[in-house]
C-alpha cells in the first residue's frame, strides 16, 4: 500500500506501465484552479486576463485586468456541459484537469483496488465566483503583485462526482462531507477528550480545545473543507460498506 500526496499521483501512478498495486491516493489542497465563465446579457462568455494601460484600458500596458470574450469560445462550448445545473448562476468555474485526474483515479481503483481520499476547501456546485488571492495571510487582489500572492478557487466537488460517474467505472463515490462531519465521525472529540484529560497544564488544555475548534467549527474550517472518497465496486454489497468518516455514527447527522 502506498500513500501519495499532492501532485505526485498525476505523474507516477497514472503511468500505464506502473505495476498493478492496491494504492491509496490522498489529495489535499490541489484541485482549486479553474477556467472562469461568466453570464453576460444572457450569454455565456469566457473571462480572460489582459495587460492594459491604467490610463487608457483600451491600450496595452502593464496593469493586469479581467476582460470578457466578445463571442462564445471553445472553452464555453466544452466546459459548460460539465458545469451541471446553471439555473440561477451568472458565473461558473470548471476545472477540466481535475475531472480528468479523478477519472484516471476511478479507472485505476476499479482495475487494481485501493481507494482515494480527496480533501480540499470547496462546495457542492452551489457557488460561482470563488477566485481570490492571499498575501501575508490577508485577502488580496488576484491581479495585483503577480507571483507574490497565492491565487486559489474553491473546488466544485459536484463536478468531480459527475466526472467519475461519467466513466461508468466500477467505483463508488462517498461524500463529499464537511471536514467537521468527517473528523467527528472519525472520533476526534473522543480523542481530544482523552488528550485534555492527560494534559499537564491548563495552557495545554486550552491549546488542544482551540485547535479542535479551528478544525471543526463552522466559522473556521469545519464546513469550508470537504472530504470525498473513491472506493472500488458498484454492487449493493459494496455500497453497504461505507468508509469510516463517511458513515454517520448517529441518526440525522448533517453532512
Amino acid at each position: 500500500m502506498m500513500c501519495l500526496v499532492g501532485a505526485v499521483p498525476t505523474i507516477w501512478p497514472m503511468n500505464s506501465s506502473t505495476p498493478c498495486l492496491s494504492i491509496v491516493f490522498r489529495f489535499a489542497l490541489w484541485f482549486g484552479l479553474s477556467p472562469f465563465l461568466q453570464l453576460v446579457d444572457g450569454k455565456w462568455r469566457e473571462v480572460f486576463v489582459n495587460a492594459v494601460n491604467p490610463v487608457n484600458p483600451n491600450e496595452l500596458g502593464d496593469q493586469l485586468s479581467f476582460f470578457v470574450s466578445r463571442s462564445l469560445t471553445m472553452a464555453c462550448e466544452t466546459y459548460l456541459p460539465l458545469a451541471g445545473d446553471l439555473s440561477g448562476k451568472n458565473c461558473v468555474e470548471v476545472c477540466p484537469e481535475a475531472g480528468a485526474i479523478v477519472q484516471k483515479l476511478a479507472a485505476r481503483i476499479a482495475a487494481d483496488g485501493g481507494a482515494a481520499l480527496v480533501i480540499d476547501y470547496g462546495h457542492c456546485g452551489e457557488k460561482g465566483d470563488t477566485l481570490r488571492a492571499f498575501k501575508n495571510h490577508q485577502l488580496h487582489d488576484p491581479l495585483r503583485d503577480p507571483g507574490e500572492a497565492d491565487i486559489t478557487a474553491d473546488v466544485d466537488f459536484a463536478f468531480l462526482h459527475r466526472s467519475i460517474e461519467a466513466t461508468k467505472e466500477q467505483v463508488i463515490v462517498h461524500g463529499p462531507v464537511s471536514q467537521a462531519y468527517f473528523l467527528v465521525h472519525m472520533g476526534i472529540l473522543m480523542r481530544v477528550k482523552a488528550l485534555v484529560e492527560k494534559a499537564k497544564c491548563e495552557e495545554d488544555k486550552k491549546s488542544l480545545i482551540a485547535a479542535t475548534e479551528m478544525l471543526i467549527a463552522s466559522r473556521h474550517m469545519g464546513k469550508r473543507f470537504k472530504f470525498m472518497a473513491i472506493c472500488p465496486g458498484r454492487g449493493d454489497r459494496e455500497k453497504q460498506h461505507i468508509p469510516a468518516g463517511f458513515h454517520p455514527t448517529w441518526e440525522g447527522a448533517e453532512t
Side-chain angles (χ1 to χ4, degrees), residues 86-104:
L86 298 175
S87 58
K89 291 186 176 181
N90 59 10
C91 55
V92 170
E93 294 165 338
V94 180
C95 188
E97 291 87 354
I101 290 168
V102 294
Q103 287 181 338
K104 290 182 179 180

Side-chain angles (χ1 to χ4, degrees), residues 63-86:
Q63 179 175 301
L64 296 180
S65 176
F66 290 114
F67 77 97
V68 180
S69 63
R70 296 180 179 179
S71 59
L72 194 67
T73 63
M74 184 178 295
C76 290
E77 294 179 333
T78 303
Y79 301 145
L80 278 177
L82 305 177
D85 184 9
L86 298 175

Side-chain angles (χ1 to χ4, degrees), residues 47-63:
V47 179
F48 294 94
V49 176
N50 198 7
V52 300
N53 184 335
V55 178
N56 184 359
N58 294 321
E59 296 180 357
L60 294 179
D62 57 4
Q63 179 175 301

Side-chain angles (χ1 to χ4, degrees), residues 14 44 46-47 53 111 117 134 164 167 173 177 207 233-234 238:
M14 296 297 103
W44 286 99
E46 185 174 1
V47 179
N53 184 335
L117 180 62
F134 292 91
I164 296 168
T167 67
V173 178
V177 298
S207 178
R234 275 190 184 270
E238 289 91 350

Side-chain angles (χ1 to χ4, degrees), residues 1-4 12-13 18-25 108-109 112-116:
M1 181 178 292
M2 305 178 67
C3 183
L4 305 167
W12 185 72
T18 302
C20 294
L21 301 170
S22 291
I23 298 179
V24 174
F25 299 89
R108 183 61 185 267
I109 291 168
D112 303 324

Side-chain angles (χ1 to χ4, degrees), residues 12-43:
W12 185 72
M14 296 297 103
N15 193 315
S16 59
S17 64
T18 302
C20 294
L21 301 170
S22 291
I23 298 179
V24 174
F25 299 89
R26 178 170 67 88
F27 287 87
L29 300 176
W30 196 68
F31 283 128
L33 299 177
S34 314
F36 184 71
L37 311 177
Q38 185 172 355
L39 188 64
V40 179
D41 296 329
K43 299 178 181 179

Side-chain angles (χ1 to χ4, degrees), residues 191-253:
R191 177 60 177 161
V192 171
K193 181 176 182 293
L195 291 174
V196 168
E197 290 174 350
K198 293 181 179 180
K200 296 181 179 180
C201 63
E202 285 299 316
E203 184 177 350
D204 288 346
K205 292 181 180 180
K206 291 180 180 179
S207 178
L208 285 166
I209 294 171
T212 305
E213 183 180 9
M214 177 63 70
L215 289 172
I216 65 176
S218 297
R219 66 180 182 276
H220 295 306
M221 299 169 65
K223 281 192 174 181
R224 192 69 182 268
F225 281 75
K226 300 288 189 292
F227 283 61
M228 185 179 79
I230 309 170
C231 299
R234 275 190 184 270
D236 293 336
R237 184 176 180 180
E238 289 91 350
K239 289 179 180 179
Q240 293 176 2
H241 296 283
I242 302 175
F246 295 90
H247 192 288
T249 52
W250 69 83
E251 187 175 351

